[in-house]
Amino acid sequence: MHAWWRAANYLSVGQIYLLANPLLRTPLTMDDVKPRLLGHWGTTPGLNFIYVHLNRIIRREDCSVLFIAGPGHGAPGVVASTYLEGTYSELYPQVSQDEEGLRRLFRQFSFPGGIPSHAAPETPGSIHEGGELGYSLAHAYGAVLDNPDLIAACVVGDGEAETGPLATSWHANKFLNPVTDGTVLPILHLNGYKIANPTVLARIDPEELEALFIGYGHDPIFVEGEDPMEMHGRMAEALDIAFARIADIRRIAREDGGAPRPRWPMIILRSPKGWTGPKTVDGLKTEGFWRSHQVPFGDMSHPGHLKLLEEWLLSYRPEELFDHAGALHPDIAAMAPSGQARMSANPHANGGALRKPLRMPDFTTLAVEVPHPGGVEAEATRVMGQFLRDVMSANSEARNFRVFGPDETASNRLQALFEVTGRAWDAATLPYDDHLSPDGRVMEILSEHLCQGWCEGYLLTGRHALFSCYEAFIHIVDSMFNQHAKWLKSSQEVPWRLPIASLNYLLTSHVWRQDHNGFSHQDPGFIDHVVNKKAEIVRVYLPPDANTLLCVTDHCLRSWNRVNVIVAGKQPSPQWLDMDAAIKHCAGGIGIWEWASNDRGAEPDVVLACAGDVPTLETIAAAGLLREYFPELKVRVINVVDLMTLQPKSEHPHGLSDAAFDALFTTDKPVIFAYHGYPWLIHRLAYRRTNHANMHVRGYIEEGSTTTPFDMVVRNRLDRFHLVADVVDRVPKLASVGAYARQAIRDKLVEHNLYIRAHGVDLPEVRDWAWKG
Amino acid sequence: MHAWWRAANYLSVGQIYLLANPLLRTPLTMDDVKPRLLGHWGTTPGLNFIYVHLNRIIRREDCSVLFIAGPGHGAPGVVASTYLEGTYSELYPQVSQDEEGLRRLFRQFSFPGGIPSHAAPETPGSIHEGGELGYSLAHAYGAVLDNPDLIAACVVGDGEAETGPLATSWHANKFLNPVTDGTVLPILHLNGYKIANPTVLARIDPEELEALFIGYGHDPIFVEGEDPMEMHGRMAEALDIAFARIADIRRIAREDGGAPRPRWPMIILRSPKGWTGPKTVDGLKTEGFWRSHQVPFGDMSHPGHLKLLEEWLLSYRPEELFDHAGALHPDIAAMAPSGQARMSANPHANGGALRKPLRMPDFTTLAVEVPHPGGVEAEATRVMGQFLRDVMSANSEARNFRVFGPDETASNRLQALFEVTGRAWDAATLPYDDHLSPDGRVMEILSEHLCQGWCEGYLLTGRHALFSCYEAFIHIVDSMFNQHAKWLKSSQEVPWRLPIASLNYLLTSHVWRQDHNGFSHQDPGFIDHVVNKKAEIVRVYLPPDANTLLCVTDHCLRSWNRVNVIVAGKQPSPQWLDMDAAIKHCAGGIGIWEWASNDRGAEPDVVLACAGDVPTLETIAAAGLLREYFPELKVRVINVVDLMTLQPKSEHPHGLSDAAFDALFTTDKPVIFAYHGYPWLIHRLAYRRTNHANMHVRGYIEEGSTTTPFDMVVRNRLDRFHLVADVVDRVPKLASVGAYARQAIRDKLVEHNLYIRAHGVDLPEVRDWAWKG
């Protein structure tokens, strides 16, 4: 085992430093060294140490282990181990098990056209991008859900442990069912330093450290030291204990049932940063210190550094590790598990290969009957909840669908789910608790980070999910979304990675209906954030009512390799389309609503466009007012479900052709666009369109706080009256006749203000929304 | 004290339910009840309970306590207490201490035109917006830094405790200096439930709970029960113990010096949710259950609910609490501390009133000498670090300036700071540690959340700060930025809140220089996120070199009530402007660089615009190539430092007038704009400008990963060669003569690709950036 560790460390140093001469057949020269030295050595030997010890126990126990490297910058180590296991060469044959393969392995690392310096989609066995810290443990828990035989060995760096998302992820063990879920074995790796600072957990009293992890519900096993040989013994013993406890816990839970929440084992490994690297460089402490965080010595022109590198490499005795051709000696190679038992070949790490499409029930059976547009009210997300319930039921045997959310599933009116499943919960329960159950398939904790991390881990291992969240607070995971979207983009360039199910967001409790939460709960900007990512990855849907929401949800749950953002309200709202019309409308993603228009196929005088449920309501109402004030005016109403249709076809696969766009929006008529979010986004999407100069967009402009729904739209000038005023201002032929309408609008707004201040509720006529078509 | 608590609870219920009849002088009718019932009762009685007990000890100890209500939705309670203390009426005289004032107090709560349902800028004594959970403890720690006499009593709800940011904030006690900083007294309030779920911390074993907080470095004191009278005794005793320990710790640290990190006390209060509210409603458990989270019963048309409300209100015996005129009985009122000792009037909660401008050293003494544009290289942030050092020194006595960052101060090359201060650190140290010190003024932990929270708390209590961060990872605090920006906007509408210092971000290690970190570290989208907030709050600066960065930093550190985002690279880069030119350029925010242009005051053939250091370099190089290929072509180069100048004046106070914009960008010539971030942002800002249709923007389009700096710009088509090609494509008169240039460009790019793949570094001519002007 020590030989394997030496080999992994040797390959790690080689990746960071060498361009050629991988087996040091000749004395090192500057030509053998990379011109730019990039990479992280500090955490790497620790990762290699853990990896080889996990291999030992995998072989003995014949178990399925997924390796998650929280300190993802330790990629030289992860890549080295997967190479030693043979997987790397199987997936990338050019990186073969010989001297030329070694040269390529070294050269490609952190090299233009090569591989990144941290665990990434290119890395065999990884479901975890190590670039941004904080999510390893959440990913690990997501991966083991519904995988009862899986153990996710999750290395948590002591730097990463300081992040908020990681700090709360320790509590994920209260949501794990030892009967139907697998196990996470956290390995906290205390190497003491971050980039330039010591870490908090490495510098608190040992009693505090132990108490902390007992407090998190774990039973920590300590492995501490520097001497490699002693440490091998301690680590082997620790893993023996940990795996035996895991087996015991599983046996008791699965045989006996109803066991109380177990105290899962974990390992706290304290080892030097840059272990086995140079003790000092230029007289400065390096091993066991932050100076070995990245490249321990980077200036190769410094006299002696080339020699130091050579000595360091030779200290691993490569001649004992690799044969003359450059292949790992068979007796060392034999220490790896075989086939899919290798962590680098664990099938769960290539979730796309395990992914089975969801069995999809017929959503049309849940259709809201809409006798005529606006003729009935419904709560869109409540209807969607019924569909999610049916999806959950249809896939209950496959156990491959979960719904995640920060304590908001019921608040977001998806509670039909609780007819068929519960909320996952393995902490204490009380008799009057509501739908808590160890095998519940709805995951709720008041942490958007943990919900997102669970969800990603679940998807990346081949399953399906929906994450529902208050719209404003999804920004909490902006950065996690970034990383997932980047993972998806990069994965598509990795041939052996098969598509995983899409990450589906339902954003509700949205900006327009924060009647009492007010200003702090208003932010529709996640859409803006999302559309900056690669067009082939992102989709944004704004279904205006329940039937369109059902269509969109069905579509999203069937899709793969996407991030789908669905924004829909939960409040009672008028329904516009019957199911046939909804299906047709969603198929196009955008369309003219003839029944709300009066242009009858002719060129309209004005186009009213809308996207989002509240803007749609106001637009329909505005169209009604326009008919009342100006019966001769030809108004076209366009509704947008799929926001990406607005972008040019060259920019997004869902984008309308210019011809199709012009046919809808005309090339020269005023367009008054009522949009759910920040108005500038519509300009950003449509600025290349012919008629862009005539587009006038209303949306959320950070106005309004604790107030009524209608007052919110008034304050942001998205209401029916302001929309009519916009039309009057922009249609030349209304210039003379518009005075009456203007006065009527002004009166209405005054009346509204007076009424709302007096009564605290909207004008009755506003509440009476039904559109009389 | 019990009477005070009853009064606070009475006022809380009144705020949630009543529109009139505040003293129940006549039997309640439906007319007395609000038409829409909105608010959160569940956490409120607990907050009221804590508040009155803190008042007792404040009076006894004569100490300065800041109250931070993590469960910010308990605003009915916070507002009630501040009203009982008299502060509310002092600040809002119309909400007077009589029956009419009570009526107004009740009516305004969560009512259109009134106040939000959670703690907000309008709330006296609050520095904490309670809408988004997770940041209370970080704010508390930020507030007590450099306030040695202050105690921040921070109530942490057990819901909030599940969030990531809060979970890691417990470790903030390792960064507190008991000599020069104040104290945070966390009060974990376990009322057991979130919206619809039990909370994790309320459902783990008591031993785990205690171990957890010992692990966090605290010495927890438990207060548990339901019976109010017993609980009063326990809470009083707990606070006596806590305050005595705090006094001991301070005394020992301040007298003896060098004491080891203390175990600060904290209180764990376990009390029923909706305490003293209705035990059951319609036969369903309510007190002590999630049903009392918001309005315990909302449907007032339900028979019996009106009666139930009346009985509930009367259970507090209002007739014993308020006199005939509606004023609090003097013997109860006398329980409040007086003047600024009242938590609602603590001066630290209105930081603007305490804010003193920084003493600003002369930044021009640090000017980089620039003999001619491009004639010298410098690392911009390293120079800025020297300025920060001087600012730190100049304000060392005032102790009102700190720099925050996630372990990146040195990595971001601000290490000159360590010449005059250290990194705050009160955990264990080792002999070879680097600039760690209990009174260090650089705050580093690997948590962007905690850095941001500290920073906000520090600013909100009247001090100054800079937060430096890797550009990509600032998205981690997107949501915290949102809340702070919203706080600033709302504060400006609260007359008694005085301006606080701006929140200054330095974003560096930016998208273009992730040479080895690659794709996961590339995201310039924080700017997009920021510009969605109110124009009067946000500023974005992209200084192209060190001298402009100095100017911008000086400006930002002097400003107030803003969020300033500064984006600047840390790598060696050519310097363009000497200090005089830099000052002039920054004053305009945008300008023509004559020395790089050859239009000589005439109308140019093409405008090359740029914003950001790397785009500026490529633009200058492109201008050079154009001069070489097409000496006759009149090229104008415009550099943008202040991004907001691009917006119309009507949209942003820094926006150029249309005339000024047209004078720079022409009305009809091609504009090739090289921008630091996502290119669409420029369109979003400039779409209303006359010449917008001719603007062609290059920026980051999510391409490139682990590669060289120049290859990054090539892959995103922002490099000099692509910019020249853009010019050739868009200037009509080049249509015939452009073939040569096109071929030359194609050759250059092929050469680049071959070179980089072979050598792993950029073409030598690219590294040789100096522009020969």
Side-chain angles (χ1 to χ4, degrees):
Chain A
M1 273 169 64
H2 188 61
W4 180 289
W5 189 41
R6 278 159 45 211
N9 288 341
Y10 179 82
L11 295 185
S12 302
V13 182
Q15 289 176 76
I16 295 172
Y17 279 93
L18 295 188
L19 202 53
N21 194 8
L23 290 169
L24 301 188
R25 295 200 195 271
T26 55
L28 263 193
T29 70
M30 285 299 285
D31 285 346
D32 299 332
V33 177
K34 296 186 178 181
R36 303 181 76 214
L37 297 173
L38 303 167
H40 292 73
W41 164 247
T43 185
T44 297
L47 286 178
N48 289 340
F49 183 79
I50 294 165
Y51 203 99
V52 63
H53 278 271
L54 286 167
N55 269 352
R56 183 192 66 91
I57 202 134
I58 290 168
R59 286 174 63 220
R60 200 187 67 191
E61 306 278 324
D62 191 22
C63 52
S64 174
V65 177
L66 186 68
F67 186 69
I68 296 188
H73 281 82
V78 182
V79 169
S81 295
T82 63
Y83 176 82
L84 293 174
E85 289 184 324
T87 321
Y88 207 91
S89 304
E90 291 164 22
L91 296 173
Y92 304 102
Q94 72 280 19
V95 185
S96 46
Q97 300 277 321
D98 54 21
E99 186 170 359
E100 175 59 12
L102 281 173
R103 193 188 65 80
R104 289 192 168 139
L105 180 76
F106 289 0
R107 181 186 167 89
Q108 69 173 11
F109 176 80
S110 214
F111 199 81
I115 63 169
S117 73
H118 31 77
E122 293 88 338
T123 315
S126 179
I127 62 163
H128 185 68
E129 158 62 62
E132 182 172 318
L133 300 177
Y135 318 126
S136 60
L137 203 49
H139 285 166
Y141 276 97
V144 303
L145 295 172
D146 296 316
N147 278 325
D149 297 326
L150 185 63
I151 294 176
C154 179
V155 185
V156 177
D158 48 356
E160 178 177 22
E162 295 178 7
T163 67
L166 200 292
T168 201
S169 295
W170 295 109
H171 287 299
N173 54 18
K174 283 91 194 176
F175 298 84
L176 200 72
N177 180 4
V179 181
T180 55
D181 298 326
T183 304
V184 174
L185 176 65
I187 302 169
L188 177 67
H189 186 202
L190 299 179
N191 68 26
Y193 295 89
K194 297 168 287 197
I195 303 180
N197 271 299
T199 59
V200 170
L201 293 186
R203 295 289 182 95
I204 62 176
D205 299 341
E207 310 81 60
E208 282 185 0
L209 185 67
E210 183 166 20
L212 185 62
F213 287 93
I214 291 172
Y216 284 137
H218 278 293
D219 196 353
I221 306 166
F222 288 82
V223 177
E224 304 187 331
E226 297 188 18
D227 179 81
M229 289 309 161
E230 288 173 17
M231 287 292 278
H232 281 306
R234 286 180 205 141
M235 188 68 181
E237 190 188 351
L239 279 170
D240 285 348
I241 295 170
F243 274 68
R245 283 196 200 150
I246 290 169
D248 279 350
I249 289 169
R250 287 180 170 179
R251 189 180 41 72
I252 291 168
R254 293 173 190 183
E255 285 174 10
D256 307 356
R261 172 169 59 86
R263 283 220 176 138
W264 294 102
M266 70 170 293
I267 292 174
I268 299 180
L269 169 66
R270 195 189 293 266
S271 69
K273 186 147 193 159
W275 200 9
T276 74
K279 300 250 180 269
T280 62
V281 175
D282 307 334
L284 296 171
K285 181 175 173 67
T286 303
E287 189 194 24
F289 202 44
W290 57 256
R291 278 198 197 88
S292 53
H293 179 73
Q294 298 193 12
V295 180
F297 49 98
D299 178 9
M300 296 307 293
S301 66
H302 186 289
H305 279 190
L306 196 65
K307 190 74 197 155
L308 186 62
L309 174 60
E310 191 170 60
E311 285 168 6
W312 178 13
L313 282 162
L314 288 174
S315 75
Y316 299 115
R317 305 196 297 280
E319 70 285 1
E320 300 174 10
L321 306 171
F322 300 96
D323 67 18
H324 193 73
L328 188 65
H329 273 298
D331 49 335
I332 306 176
M335 300 201 52
S338 60
Q340 295 194 338
R342 295 172 296 179
M343 291 187 286
S344 54
N346 190 304
H348 298 288
N350 185 9
L354 300 178
R355 179 178 66 101
K356 294 194 180 66
L358 284 173
R359 293 183 56 191
M360 294 297 291
D362 179 4
F363 65 89
T364 65
T365 62
L366 299 167
V368 174
E369 271 209 56
V370 181
H372 61 90
V376 65
E377 283 200 352
E379 296 158 301
T381 58
R382 193 182 292 276
V383 178
M384 176 184 178
Q386 295 164 2
F387 183 48
L388 294 176
R389 171 199 63 202
D390 294 351
V391 174
M392 189 64 83
S393 288
N395 297 279
S396 62
E397 270 183 48
R399 299 185 65 80
N400 61 350
F401 179 58
R402 292 205 182 215
V403 173
F404 301 84
D407 189 33
E408 295 162 0
T409 306
S411 169
N412 290 338
R413 310 210 177 155
L414 305 176
Q415 58 268 70
L417 276 163
F418 299 125
E419 295 168 22
V420 298
T421 189
R423 299 176 168 102
W425 185 263
D426 203 39
T429 54
L430 293 172
Y432 41 79
D433 277 332
D434 194 21
H435 292 106
L436 300 184
S437 143
D439 67 349
R441 310 190 63 73
V442 175
M443 310 281 293
E444 298 196 301
I445 187 169
L446 211 165
S447 167
E448 286 78 0
H449 292 111
L450 190 42
C451 289
Q452 171 89 12
W454 276 337
C455 186
E456 289 176 1
Y458 200 63
L459 294 171
L460 287 161
T461 48
R463 284 78 64 78
H464 304 264
L466 180 110
F467 179 8
S468 92
C469 191
Y470 278 28
E471 183 188 44
F473 300 145
I474 197 68
H475 275 300
I476 291 171
V477 296
D478 273 2
S479 208
M480 297 182 77
F481 154 80
N482 277 352
Q483 297 302 334
H484 190 73
K486 282 176 180 274
W487 174 282
L488 290 178
K489 186 216 171 203
S490 300
S491 292
Q492 293 179 23
E493 293 154 15
V494 177
W496 55 269
R497 285 223 178 252
L498 299 180
I500 61 169
S502 298
L503 171 52
N504 300 304
Y505 291 104
L506 168 68
L507 306 187
T508 182
S509 303
H510 64 50
V511 54
W512 299 107
R513 294 306 303 270
Q514 294 302 331
D515 312 1
H516 67 320
N517 287 313
F519 196 42
S520 67
H521 285 51
Q522 297 164 354
D523 192 298
F526 188 65
I527 301 173
D528 304 60
H529 181 68
V530 161
V531 298
N532 276 337
K533 289 288 163 287
K534 274 288 169 190
E536 60 262 34
I537 303 296
V538 298
R539 303 287 183 269
V540 179
Y541 299 99
L542 295 148
D545 67 1
N547 288 337
T548 49
L549 177 59
L550 285 173
C551 289
V552 165
T553 305
D554 180 73
H555 174 77
C556 292
L557 289 175
R558 293 172 188 270
S559 72
W560 58 86
N561 268 5
R562 303 273 175 272
V563 178
N564 297 307
V565 179
I566 309 172
V567 184
K570 68 185 185 183
Q571 303 290 349
S573 302
Q575 301 297 303
W576 310 112
L577 303 187
D578 63 26
M579 189 48 87
D580 286 348
I583 291 172
K584 195 165 152 238
H585 187 49
C586 290
I590 184 171
I592 298 174
W593 281 6
E594 300 284 358
W595 51 267
S597 311
N598 64 352
D599 57 337
R600 313 268 167 236
E603 180 87 349
D605 298 310
V606 64
V607 175
L608 298 187
C610 51
D613 51 6
V614 166
T616 297
L617 170 62
E618 292 307 312
T619 297
I620 299 297
L625 288 172
L626 286 172
R627 254 194 310 281
E628 186 185 324
Y629 296 146
F630 312 110
E632 304 300 309
L633 188 74
K634 292 204 290 291
V635 176
R636 174 181 294 174
V637 174
I638 293 176
N639 182 269
V640 183
V641 177
D642 177 349
L643 201 61
M644 298 297 100
T645 56
L646 299 179
Q647 277 204 292
K649 186 118 203 124
S650 57
E651 297 280 317
H652 195 284
H654 285 196
L656 289 183
S657 71
D658 280 336
F661 192 93
D662 292 350
L664 285 174
F665 286 91
T666 80
T667 56
D668 59 355
K669 295 298 181 297
V671 177
I672 311 298
F673 200 126
Y675 169 55
H676 172 83
Y678 294 107
W680 313 284
L681 183 69
I682 301 301
H683 293 293
R684 170 236 191 280
L685 297 174
Y687 70 85
R688 287 202 199 164
R689 300 300 194 172
T690 318
N691 197 26
H692 175 254
N694 291 310
M695 286 178 76
H696 184 70
V697 188
R698 295 296 189 182
Y700 177 65
I701 51 170
E702 295 271 327
E703 291 295 338
S705 181
T706 305
T707 192
T708 69
F710 188 64
D711 197 43
M712 265 304 291
V713 285
V714 170
R715 285 170 179 271
N716 290 281
R717 302 184 195 168
L718 180 75
D719 63 285
R720 55 199 67 179
F721 301 122
H722 278 97
L723 295 179
V724 168
D726 286 340
V727 171
V728 172
D729 287 346
R730 278 166 187 79
V731 176
K733 73 180 190 186
L734 297 183
S736 56
V737 297
Y740 163 76
R742 267 184 230 280
Q743 187 56 45
I745 289 163
R746 215 172 290 128
D747 291 349
K748 279 291 180 197
L749 288 173
V750 170
E751 185 188 351
H752 156 74
N753 279 328
L754 291 173
Y755 192 90
I756 214 163
R757 297 293 167 270
H759 299 281
V761 291
D762 287 331
L763 271 174
E765 67 179 75
V766 172
R767 277 177 300 176
D768 175 25
W769 348 73
W771 181 75
K772 278 81 184 171
Chain B
M1 274 169 65
H2 188 61
W4 180 289
W5 188 42
R6 278 160 43 211
N9 288 340
Y10 178 83
L11 295 186
S12 302
V13 183
Q15 288 176 77
I16 295 172
Y17 279 96
L18 296 188
L19 202 54
N21 195 9
L23 290 167
L24 300 188
R25 293 199 195 273
T26 56
L28 265 192
T29 70
M30 285 298 284
D31 286 345
D32 300 332
V33 178
K34 296 185 179 181
R36 303 179 75 215
L37 297 173
L38 304 166
H40 291 74
W41 165 247
T43 185
T44 297
L47 286 179
N48 290 340
F49 182 78
I50 294 165
Y51 203 99
V52 64
H53 278 270
L54 286 168
N55 269 352
R56 181 191 67 91
I57 202 131
I58 290 167
R59 285 174 64 220
R60 201 187 66 189
E61 306 279 325
D62 191 21
C63 52
S64 174
V65 178
L66 186 68
F67 186 69
I68 295 187
H73 281 83
V78 183
V79 170
S81 295
T82 64
Y83 175 82
L84 292 174
E85 290 185 323
T87 321
Y88 208 92
S89 304
E90 292 163 22
L91 297 173
Y92 304 102
Q94 72 280 18
V95 184
S96 46
Q97 300 277 324
D98 54 22
E99 185 169 0
E100 177 58 12
L102 282 172
R103 192 188 65 81
R104 289 193 168 137
L105 181 77
F106 288 3
R107 182 187 166 88
Q108 69 173 10
F109 176 80
S110 215
F111 199 81
I115 63 170
S117 72
H118 31 78
E122 293 90 335
T123 314
S126 179
I127 62 162
H128 185 70
E129 158 62 62
E132 182 173 318
L133 300 178
Y135 317 125
S136 60
L137 203 49
H139 285 168
Y141 275 97
V144 303
L145 296 172
D146 297 315
N147 278 324
D149 298 326
L150 185 62
I151 295 176
C154 179
V155 186
V156 177
D158 48 357
E160 178 177 23
E162 295 177 6
T163 66
L166 200 294
T168 202
S169 295
W170 295 108
H171 287 299
N173 53 20
K174 282 91 193 178
F175 299 82
L176 201 71
N177 180 2
V179 180
T180 55
D181 298 325
T183 305
V184 173
L185 176 66
I187 302 168
L188 177 66
H189 187 201
L190 299 179
N191 69 26
Y193 295 90
K194 296 167 289 198
I195 303 179
N197 271 299
T199 58
V200 169
L201 293 186
R203 295 291 181 91
I204 62 176
D205 298 341
E207 310 81 59
E208 281 185 358
L209 185 67
E210 184 167 18
L212 184 63
F213 287 93
I214 290 172
Y216 283 137
H218 278 293
D219 196 355
I221 307 164
F222 288 83
V223 177
E224 305 188 332
E226 297 188 18
D227 180 81
M229 288 309 162
E230 288 173 16
M231 288 292 277
H232 280 306
R234 285 178 205 144
M235 188 68 181
E237 191 188 350
L239 279 171
D240 285 349
I241 295 170
F243 275 68
R245 283 195 198 152
I246 290 170
D248 279 351
I249 289 169
R250 286 180 171 182
R251 189 180 40 72
I252 291 168
R254 294 173 192 184
E255 287 175 9
D256 307 356
R261 173 169 58 88
R263 284 222 173 134
W264 294 102
M266 69 170 293
I267 292 173
I268 298 181
L269 169 65
R270 196 188 292 266
S271 70
K273 187 148 189 158
W275 201 8
T276 74
K279 299 246 179 273
T280 61
V281 174
D282 308 334
L284 296 171
K285 181 174 174 67
T286 302
E287 189 192 27
F289 202 44
W290 57 257
R291 277 197 199 88
S292 54
H293 178 74
Q294 297 193 14
V295 180
F297 48 97
D299 178 9
M300 297 306 293
S301 66
H302 186 290
H305 280 190
L306 195 64
K307 190 74 195 154
L308 187 62
L309 174 60
E310 191 169 60
E311 283 168 7
W312 179 13
L313 282 162
L314 289 173
S315 74
Y316 299 114
R317 305 195 299 279
E319 70 284 2
E320 299 174 11
L321 307 171
F322 300 95
D323 68 18
H324 192 72
L328 188 64
H329 273 297
D331 50 334
I332 307 176
M335 300 201 52
S338 61
Q340 296 194 339
R342 295 172 295 180
M343 292 187 285
S344 54
N346 190 302
H348 298 288
N350 186 11
L354 300 178
R355 178 178 67 99
K356 293 193 183 66
L358 284 173
R359 293 182 57 191
M360 295 296 290
D362 179 5
F363 65 90
T364 64
T365 62
L366 300 167
V368 175
E369 269 207 59
V370 182
H372 60 89
V376 65
E377 284 201 351
E379 296 159 301
T381 58
R382 194 182 292 274
V383 178
M384 177 183 177
Q386 295 164 2
F387 183 47
L388 295 176
R389 171 199 62 199
D390 294 351
V391 175
M392 189 63 83
S393 288
N395 297 280
S396 63
E397 270 184 47
R399 297 186 66 81
N400 61 349
F401 178 57
R402 293 206 181 213
V403 173
F404 301 85
D407 189 31
E408 294 161 2
T409 305
S411 169
N412 290 337
R413 311 211 177 156
L414 305 176
Q415 58 267 70
L417 276 162
F418 298 126
E419 297 168 21
V420 297
T421 188
R423 300 177 168 103
W425 186 262
D426 203 39
T429 54
L430 292 171
Y432 42 79
D433 276 333
D434 193 22
H435 291 107
L436 301 184
S437 144
D439 67 348
R441 309 189 65 72
V442 174
M443 309 281 295
E444 297 196 303
I445 187 170
L446 212 164
S447 166
E448 286 78 2
H449 292 112
L450 190 42
C451 290
Q452 170 89 14
W454 275 337
C455 186
E456 290 176 359
Y458 200 63
L459 295 171
L460 287 162
T461 48
R463 282 79 64 77
H464 303 264
L466 180 110
F467 179 8
S468 93
C469 191
Y470 278 27
E471 183 187 43
F473 301 144
I474 196 68
H475 275 301
I476 291 171
V477 295
D478 274 2
S479 208
M480 296 182 78
F481 155 80
N482 277 352
Q483 297 303 333
H484 189 73
K486 283 177 178 273
W487 174 282
L488 290 178
K489 188 218 170 201
S490 299
S491 292
Q492 293 180 23
E493 293 155 14
V494 177
W496 55 270
R497 285 223 179 252
L498 299 181
I500 61 169
S502 299
L503 171 52
N504 300 305
Y505 291 104
L506 168 69
L507 306 186
T508 183
S509 303
H510 64 46
V511 53
W512 300 107
R513 294 306 303 270
Q514 293 304 327
D515 312 0
H516 67 320
N517 287 312
F519 197 43
S520 67
H521 285 52
Q522 298 164 353
D523 191 299
F526 189 65
I527 301 173
D528 303 60
H529 181 67
V530 161
V531 298
N532 276 337
K533 289 290 165 285
K534 272 291 170 190
E536 60 263 33
I537 304 296
V538 298
R539 303 286 183 269
V540 179
Y541 300 98
L542 295 148
D545 66 2
N547 288 336
T548 49
L549 177 58
L550 284 173
C551 288
V552 164
T553 305
D554 180 75
H555 174 77
C556 293
L557 289 176
R558 292 172 188 270
S559 72
W560 57 87
N561 268 4
R562 303 273 176 271
V563 178
N564 297 308
V565 179
I566 309 172
V567 184
K570 67 184 185 185
Q571 304 289 349
S573 303
Q575 301 298 301
W576 310 111
L577 303 188
D578 63 25
M579 188 49 87
D580 286 347
I583 290 172
K584 196 167 151 235
H585 187 48
C586 290
I590 183 170
I592 297 173
W593 280 5
E594 300 284 357
W595 51 269
S597 312
N598 63 352
D599 57 335
R600 313 268 169 236
E603 180 88 350
D605 298 311
V606 64
V607 175
L608 299 186
C610 50
D613 50 7
V614 167
T616 296
L617 170 63
E618 293 306 314
T619 296
I620 299 297
L625 290 172
L626 286 172
R627 253 193 312 280
E628 183 185 328
Y629 296 146
F630 313 111
E632 304 299 309
L633 190 73
K634 292 203 291 293
V635 177
R636 173 179 294 173
V637 174
I638 293 176
N639 183 267
V640 183
V641 177
D642 177 350
L643 201 61
M644 298 297 100
T645 56
L646 300 178
Q647 278 204 293
K649 186 119 202 120
S650 56
E651 297 279 318
H652 196 283
H654 286 197
L656 289 183
S657 71
D658 280 336
F661 192 94
D662 292 350
L664 286 174
F665 287 92
T666 79
T667 56
D668 58 356
K669 294 298 180 295
V671 177
I672 311 297
F673 200 127
Y675 170 55
H676 170 84
Y678 294 107
W680 313 283
L681 182 68
I682 301 300
H683 292 293
R684 170 234 191 279
L685 296 174
Y687 69 86
R688 287 202 198 165
R689 301 298 193 173
T690 317
N691 197 26
H692 174 253
N694 290 310
M695 287 178 76
H696 183 69
V697 188
R698 294 296 187 183
Y700 178 65
I701 52 171
E702 296 272 325
E703 291 296 338
S705 183
T706 304
T707 191
T708 70
F710 188 64
D711 196 43
M712 265 305 291
V713 286
V714 171
R715 285 170 180 272
N716 290 281
R717 302 184 194 168
L718 179 75
D719 63 285
R720 54 199 68 181
F721 302 122
H722 277 97
L723 294 179
V724 168
D726 286 339
V727 171
V728 172
D729 288 346
R730 278 166 187 80
V731 176
K733 71 180 188 184
L734 297 184
S736 56
V737 298
Y740 162 75
R742 266 184 233 280
Q743 188 56 46
I745 289 163
R746 215 172 291 130
D747 291 349
K748 280 289 180 198
L749 288 172
V750 169
E751 186 188 349
H752 156 73
N753 279 327
L754 291 173
Y755 192 90
I756 213 162
R757 296 292 165 273
H759 300 280
V761 292
D762 287 332
L763 268 175
E765 67 178 75
V766 171
R767 276 176 299 175
D768 174 24
W769 344 79
W771 180 77
K772 279 78 184 173

